[in-house]
Amino acid sequence: MSDQGWLADTRTSYDTVAVSYADQVRDALAVEPYLRGSLALFADLVHAAGGGSVADVGYGPGHVTAHLRKLGVDAFGIDLSPAMVDVARRDHPGLRFEVGSMTDLDLADASVAGLLAFWSLIHVPDDAVSRVFGHFRRALRPGGPLLLGVHVGDGSRLKTQGYGGHPMRVYVHRRQPGQVAAWLRDAGFTVEAQMLLDLDESVPGAVLFARRQP
Ligand SMILES: C[S@@+](CC[C@H](N)C(=O)[O-])C[C@H]1O[C@@H](n2cnc3c(N)ncnc32)[C@H](O)[C@@H]1O
């Protein structure tokens, strides 16, 4: 799997499903109390660290970015998929959404007060995670909080359709939270908390709270 190959496939896949994905998740947070709680805690951590702009990396249709704005967080989005940018701008006019990849994050050093990657790292293979976490650390201010959402489990699956039967070609990587935490520590983060979600579902989730070390 070359870097260009999986990134291009992921971009094309989310371009294809952008509109239907947005329709499916637009109101999802209303019925996700644990995610809302995680985002409220993340907002508190950002405020307690002095506030400032927060990057939502892999924001999809932007509903989480918009929710953070309602919590008083100066959030903006970066996503691989240009079609997702169009959908996010349509659904949330006035918010800032840009195209970019977490594998080559176009943010200045220490320029963001916080960083969120909700179920977007799931599409990055293991051998690219340290590069991504290096970018996250570089872009964050020292002491800045990081919030990750991941699928819990083992192994990788190739998803060939989704969100209403649209064709996709995207790898979905499941991970043990302990592995993600170890990668974070290696990249210069302190791991502060984790919460496991959907424990009775076939694919549980986890959110991890970390902080850039000084
Ligand atoms: C499963 S969706 C999650 C969207 C949103 N964060 C949510 O919680 O609903 C994955 C998103 O990550 C984006 N993505 C995948 N790989 C990415 C990368 N390398 N850099 C930035 N965004 C990426 C996709 O385009 C897609 O919008």
Side-chain angles (χ1 to χ4, degrees), residues 7 10 14 21 58-60 63 79-81 100-102 118-120:
L7 261 186
T10 305
Y14 278 101
Y21 186 95
Y59 57 80
H63 59 302
D79 197 285
L80 186 64
S81 158
S101 176
M102 67 178 80
F118 250 21
W119 286 273
S120 48

Side-chain angles (χ1 to χ4, degrees), residues 11 29 34 40 47 49 61 69 83 97 102 117 120-121 132 134 158 171 179 184 200 207 209 214:
R11 179 187 295 111
L29 284 175
Y34 299 103
H47 294 315
R69 295 285 293 218
F97 296 108
M102 67 178 80
S120 48
L121 187 73
V132 168
L158 179 62
Y171 283 91
Q179 174 64 76
L184 284 168
D200 290 339
V207 290
F209 292 84

Side-chain angles (χ1 to χ4, degrees), residues 6-7 10-11 13-15 17-18 21 25 28-29 35 56-65 78-82 84 99-105 116-124 132 151 163 168 170:
W6 60 261
L7 261 186
T10 305
R11 179 187 295 111
S13 294
Y14 278 101
D15 279 349
V17 302
Y21 186 95
V25 304
L29 284 175
L35 291 187
D56 180 358
V57 181
Y59 57 80
H63 59 302
V64 171
T65 325
I78 297 173
D79 197 285
L80 186 64
S81 158
M84 282 294 194
V99 178
S101 176
M102 67 178 80
T103 53
D104 190 19
L105 202 55
L116 165 84
F118 250 21
W119 286 273
S120 48
L121 187 73
I122 60 171
H123 300 307
V124 173
V132 168
H151 287 320
Y163 311 107
M168 300 183 84
V170 61

Side-chain angles (χ1 to χ4, degrees), residues 69-104:
R69 295 285 293 218
K70 286 189 195 139
L71 297 174
V73 174
D74 182 15
F76 67 98
I78 297 173
D79 197 285
L80 186 64
S81 158
M84 282 294 194
V85 175
D86 292 343
V87 167
R89 288 178 179 161
R90 179 200 68 189
D91 285 0
H92 308 287
L95 299 197
R96 184 177 143 209
F97 296 108
E98 297 167 5
V99 178
S101 176
M102 67 178 80
T103 53
D104 190 19

Side-chain angles (χ1 to χ4, degrees), residues 112-193:
V112 294
L115 195 149
L116 165 84
F118 250 21
W119 286 273
S120 48
L121 187 73
I122 60 171
H123 300 307
V124 173
D126 286 3
D127 62 8
V129 170
S130 66
R131 170 155 50 118
V132 168
F133 283 176
H135 277 297
F136 287 179
R137 184 183 191 282
R138 180 187 59 70
L140 269 168
R141 284 195 322 229
L146 170 72
L147 178 59
L148 297 179
V150 298
H151 287 320
V152 173
D154 298 297
S156 305
R157 284 148 189 82
L158 179 62
K159 188 177 170 86
T160 55
Q161 64 166 17
Y163 311 107
H166 298 283
M168 300 183 84
R169 183 181 164 77
V170 61
Y171 283 91
V172 182
H173 306 286
R174 298 177 189 170
R175 280 140 183 162
Q176 296 300 329
Q179 174 64 76
V180 179
W183 283 329
L184 284 168
R185 293 187 187 100
D186 287 347
F189 287 91
T190 300
V191 182
E192 296 188 337

